[in-house]
Amino acid sequence: MPTGSQKAITKVVAFLLVTIIPFSTFLISGGSLHVKEIYKKRNLNPGNTWIILPDFLIPLTLISLFYSK
């Protein structure tokens, strides 16, 4: 039977997964739409190109930090 601290750790891990997965999915899909606009419509405006970096780097950072613990 799990102790109180094991239950708390399980809840923290579940909370992290529930927050990381949807947020990462949202950012990666947004970044992929920016890439699609760059290739199809040749939209090279700074607002469309520079936003790609955080769209892909933030989810990668969150996922790598989750698995590094």
Side-chain angles (χ1 to χ4, degrees):
M1 186 153 178
T3 63
S5 61
Q6 289 173 337
K7 287 180 184 178
I9 290 172
T10 304
K11 286 182 181 182
V12 168
V13 169
F15 173 75
L16 288 174
L17 283 176
V18 167
T19 54
I20 289 173
I21 291 172
F23 186 64
S24 296
T25 304
F26 173 74
L27 285 176
I28 290 172
S29 62
S32 65
L33 285 176
H34 286 292
V35 170
K36 181 179 168 183
E37 279 193 9
I38 288 173
Y39 283 117
K40 284 194 170 185
K41 297 180 181 178
R42 302 289 182 213
N43 184 2
L44 296 175
N45 293 329
N48 193 40
T49 55
W50 288 103
I51 198 67
I52 291 174
L53 292 174
D55 278 349
F56 291 114
L57 290 179
I58 290 173
L60 290 175
T61 304
L62 289 174
I63 292 168
S64 64
L65 286 173
F66 178 76
Y67 283 113
S68 69
K69 60 178 186 148

